[in-house]
Amino acid sequence: MKRILIAVAIAAVSAGAANAQDAEAGAKKFKQQCFTCHDVGPTAKNKVGPELNGIDGRHSGTAPNYSYSDANKNSGITWGEAVFLEYIKDPKAKIPDTKMTFAGLKAETDAQNVWAYLKGFDAEGKPKAK
């Protein structure tokens, strides 16, 4: 019984470490692919694209002081992992007529890692408690 409990504890710690690694990899990919147009964190500002603080659970087209396309404002999307992963592969396929010109993150792992990074920020850009 002790061995089973130890194995479960090790698996839980390993899963937590994997999530942290995913967010770290997501931060790197975000800086490589997204940062030119989007910002996140305590000093985030709208750029060519909106700031992405608090994106998890936010309705599309609602970042303050950003001029969204009508397509984005009227998409009815509430951002969550599944929607983000579908969207980020091909933004124009998910929201036709969006202003976003990004071709997409084609690698599922990259998209998952970026989501792990982004969902770690609350609406004010503060890191969420783990």
Side-chain angles (χ1 to χ4, degrees), residues 26-86:
K28 290 177 185 174
K29 183 55 74 173
F30 181 86
K31 287 176 184 151
Q32 292 171 346
Q33 298 284 304
C34 312
F35 186 71
T36 300
C37 297
H38 295 280
D39 206 357
V40 68
T43 61
K45 295 182 178 20
N46 292 324
K47 296 180 174 182
V48 172
E51 56 85 7
L52 299 176
N53 288 332
I55 191 170
D56 190 15
R58 184 169 87 188
H59 293 281
S60 180
T62 62
N65 304 312
Y66 183 76
S67 176
Y68 286 94
S69 65
D70 287 339
N72 198 298
K73 287 188 283 188
N74 299 323
S75 69
I77 288 174
T78 299
W79 294 110
E81 183 172 8
V83 173
F84 177 83
L85 294 178
E86 181 182 353

